[in-house]
Amino acid sequence: MKPISIIVIILTVGVFIFLKIFQDSIPKINEPITNIFVFVGFVIFAVIYGISRNRKK
């Protein structure tokens, strides 16, 4: 494995642990329309990120 991918894995696990520790203090979003906006924003980000990664290769 490349050193960069190992660093990304470690950072991802660290973020998950951080979120798990502070999960109770993070305010919950209960409105369905907001959840839809967050999901659509994530999908758009993922598509743009995937396209940019493919263009680099």
Side-chain angles (χ1 to χ4, degrees):
M1 290 175 57
K2 296 179 183 177
I4 293 178
S5 63
I6 294 172
I7 292 171
V8 169
I9 291 171
I10 291 172
L11 287 176
T12 305
V13 170
V15 168
F16 283 139
I17 291 172
F18 180 77
L19 288 175
K20 185 64 177 169
I21 291 171
F22 294 105
Q23 184 176 11
D24 294 333
S25 63
I26 298 173
K28 303 290 187 270
I29 301 173
N30 293 326
E31 299 177 28
I33 190 74
T34 307
N35 291 336
I36 292 171
F37 284 141
V38 170
F39 178 71
V40 169
F42 175 76
V43 168
I44 291 172
F45 172 77
V47 168
I48 292 172
Y49 181 76
I51 290 172
S52 68
R53 293 286 293 204
N54 283 340
R55 286 190 178 172
K56 284 184 180 179
K57 293 180 179 179

